[in-house]
Amino acid sequence: MYLCHCTRPHRRKRIVLTGGPGAGKTAVLELARQHFCKHVLVLPESAGILFGGGFPRGAQTFEREAAQRAIYRIQCELETIADHRDDVAVVLCDRGTVDGAAYWPEGPVSFWDALGTTHDAELSRYDAVIHLRTPAPSTYNHANPLRIESALEASAIDARIEASWDRHPLRETIESTPNFLEKAARAAGARLSARAKYPPYAASTCTRAPW
């Protein structure tokens, strides 16, 4: 972590890093965790918390819906905890509440109704969205034990996630590339671009890009 001595208050912003399975979100956020200062808080992925802890991951509709309701609520609570941190300027989320619409069996309209919210309300939770595209089938990584999707399924999910976020006013897409560091550098550049459009994301004296 970059050592920072800044003590002045920051206007907190919430940025989502999203994308289909295998896009590299978790790896990019881990690099951010290691190289940004303490004023940048990286939240873990809600689905990883849930399924990694043993929550049933069935294929039936009622099981998939139960999982998405739980993921949504975990995500909201993680963001609530971050909002109570006085020392945080930027909250980086590994997916956001809107992602659940892409996984909901009966489509996005049913998802918002089931959660008692609206698409616009969930979009408004986030100041910027960075979408990392899922890689081509030839380079799709199956190493993550929590990743059960095939390359074709991951691509379809990625398209649904893109559609779920496409109405956000500050959204940037990072296309897949064989060179992961290039993709990560472009994601970092997107964060800097978001900060420039909506200052102050974090004081330039207390954050450092990891590349």
Side-chain angles (χ1 to χ4, degrees):
M1 178 179 290
Y2 173 61
L3 182 61
C4 167
H5 300 288
C6 176
T7 58
R8 66 191 182 97
H10 300 80
R11 180 186 171 194
R12 185 182 299 110
K13 295 291 183 177
R14 190 183 293 157
I15 304 175
V16 172
L17 194 65
T18 188
K25 301 177 301 299
T26 302
V28 169
L29 289 171
E30 180 57 31
L31 288 173
R33 184 182 289 108
Q34 293 176 14
H35 292 277
F36 282 128
C37 77
K38 65 181 181 180
H39 295 110
V40 178
L41 177 64
V42 178
L43 298 183
E45 185 190 33
S46 298
I49 293 173
L50 192 75
F51 296 131
F55 192 93
R57 197 172 191 178
Q60 297 189 62
T61 296
F62 75 91
E63 293 172 308
R64 294 167 60 193
E65 291 181 349
Q68 290 308 315
R69 286 193 297 267
I71 289 169
Y72 173 87
R73 291 179 178 120
I74 290 172
Q75 184 64 35
C76 288
E77 295 302 333
L78 286 172
E79 293 172 9
T80 297
I81 291 171
D83 287 344
H84 284 81
R85 289 275 301 273
D86 294 333
D87 60 337
V88 172
V90 177
V91 179
L92 292 178
C93 303
D94 190 339
R95 298 193 182 280
T97 57
V98 175
D99 284 71
Y103 291 87
W104 192 254
E106 298 180 3
V109 175
S110 174
F111 177 71
W112 312 125
D113 290 344
L115 273 302
T117 185
T118 66
H119 193 183
D120 288 339
E122 298 308 312
L123 289 173
S124 69
R125 296 174 66 91
Y126 306 99
D127 298 285
V129 182
I130 302 169
H131 185 144
L132 300 183
R133 299 307 302 265
T134 291
S138 59
T139 57
Y140 183 68
N141 184 353
H142 295 271
N144 187 337
L146 295 179
R147 187 177 300 139
I148 61 174
E149 302 86 0
S150 69
L152 291 179
E153 289 170 336
S155 180
I157 292 170
D158 188 61
R160 294 198 298 271
I161 290 173
E162 182 179 33
S164 297
W165 288 102
D166 66 356
R167 285 168 49 191
H168 195 282
L170 185 54
R171 182 175 64 91
E172 188 158 350
T173 299
I174 309 297
E175 295 297 334
S176 184
T177 172
N179 187 327
F180 171 74
L181 290 180
E182 178 185 343
K183 188 176 187 180
R186 291 173 62 193
R191 284 196 290 271
L192 294 176
S193 173
R195 186 173 69 187
K197 292 178 183 178
Y198 286 85
Y201 247 68
S204 60
T205 56
C206 72
T207 58
R208 181 181 69 174
W211 303 279

